[in-house]
Amino acid sequence: MTRPGGLGAQTWPELDDRRWTVVVPLGALEQHGPHLPLDTDTRIAETVARRAVDRLAAEGHDVVLAPPLAYGASGEHEGFPGTVSIGHDALRLLLVEFGRSVCRWASRLLVVNAHGGNAHTVVDAVALLRSEGRDVAWWACVAPDGDAHAGRTETAVLLSISPDAVVREQIAVGATARIGDLMGTLRTAGVRAVSANGVLGDARSADPEDGRRIVDGMVDRLVAGARRWSPGDRGVLA
């Protein structure tokens, strides 16, 4: 068992002679409409990862939560103030070097990603680390039937986990077309070209109870995947 506070709160002898799984949340710093904070993805990744780690540790697993990686590949959101993107190349390098270093003393690394724009880069980084013989996997914070960005799904989740961070009087509707119909423009011109307020979805029906159920479901699936530890071809835990 570790002391409260995650990886940063431990001393090195407390981490010696154990077969640790390190869990690191991966988020982003990017616009989330007029009503959600820029660090929405990081808050979600950290919450889901922390709750999963707490459950796994209570079951006796040697698992520890690392501080979140709070920047990602968010170029599609750079049309809005506040977004800070490190891009795919830097993110890939960060994840690879992070994984190489962690795996010098830990048995496994699990990346919990909550920003869809990071996904391809996470796959590439995890594939390289696994090809080098390191036991690395990743998992995505995805809600079944969720909308794309800053809409009902993410707003419900934030109303559940960080209600004081939601500017309720500015909860809004944005672009409601299917994400597949928007993807071409999103890739070439960014989110602002399809949504003036940055929302992809309709946040007005967001409910904190729905958010609680979404988070609970994510945690349940992550815990189950971590117990099985059977990464697929793309390194993702099923």
Side-chain angles (χ1 to χ4, degrees):
M1 297 291 290
T2 59
R3 288 183 292 130
L7 179 59
Q10 312 309 309
T11 64
W12 75 259
E14 292 169 312
L15 299 169
D16 202 15
D17 296 329
R18 302 282 286 276
R19 294 182 59 80
W20 292 103
T21 296
V22 175
V23 180
V24 61
L26 174 62
L29 191 71
E30 63 184 36
Q31 73 81 23
H32 272 78
H35 60 289
L36 295 182
L38 296 166
D39 64 350
T40 287
D41 292 338
T42 305
R43 290 176 188 248
I44 294 171
E46 195 278 334
T47 297
V48 172
R50 174 171 44 80
R51 293 185 185 178
V53 164
D54 288 347
R55 282 177 51 181
L56 291 164
E59 295 173 1
H61 298 275
D62 291 333
V63 58
V64 63
L65 181 68
L69 302 176
Y71 297 92
S74 301
E76 68 273 19
H77 297 283
E78 286 183 318
F80 297 88
T83 298
V84 179
S85 173
I86 63 173
H88 295 286
D89 291 343
L91 178 60
R92 182 179 185 274
L93 180 61
L94 171 63
L95 292 170
V96 168
E97 293 303 327
F98 186 95
R100 286 170 175 166
S101 185
V102 165
C103 290
R104 288 189 175 95
W105 57 269
S107 294
R108 290 172 171 169
L109 171 65
L110 173 57
V111 179
V112 177
N113 177 48
H115 171 47
N118 293 337
H120 291 300
T121 306
V122 175
V123 169
D124 288 346
V126 169
L128 176 58
L129 289 164
R130 291 184 63 80
S131 75
E132 295 173 343
R134 296 173 172 88
D135 197 0
V136 179
W138 73 285
W139 191 87
C141 296
V142 176
D145 301 319
D147 52 8
H149 184 78
R152 174 186 54 81
T153 304
E154 288 186 318
T155 303
V157 169
L158 264 289
L159 285 170
S160 172
I161 67 174
S162 295
D164 292 343
V166 180
V167 185
R168 295 171 188 251
E169 63 271 20
Q170 295 188 34
I171 290 176
V173 59
T176 57
R178 293 186 308 122
I179 190 66
D181 295 335
L182 301 174
M183 192 57 69
T185 304
L186 286 172
R187 286 174 174 162
T188 59
V191 173
R192 192 146 204 166
V194 301
S195 175
N197 65 5
V199 178
L200 302 177
D202 187 347
R204 294 174 298 179
S205 62
D207 178 79
E209 283 303 305
D210 286 339
R212 181 187 59 79
R213 287 188 287 270
I214 290 167
V215 172
D216 287 349
M218 288 180 182
V219 174
D220 287 345
R221 293 190 297 275
L222 176 54
V223 168
R227 287 180 187 137
R228 287 190 296 268
W229 197 266
S230 182
D233 292 340
R234 290 158 52 90
V236 65
L237 291 183

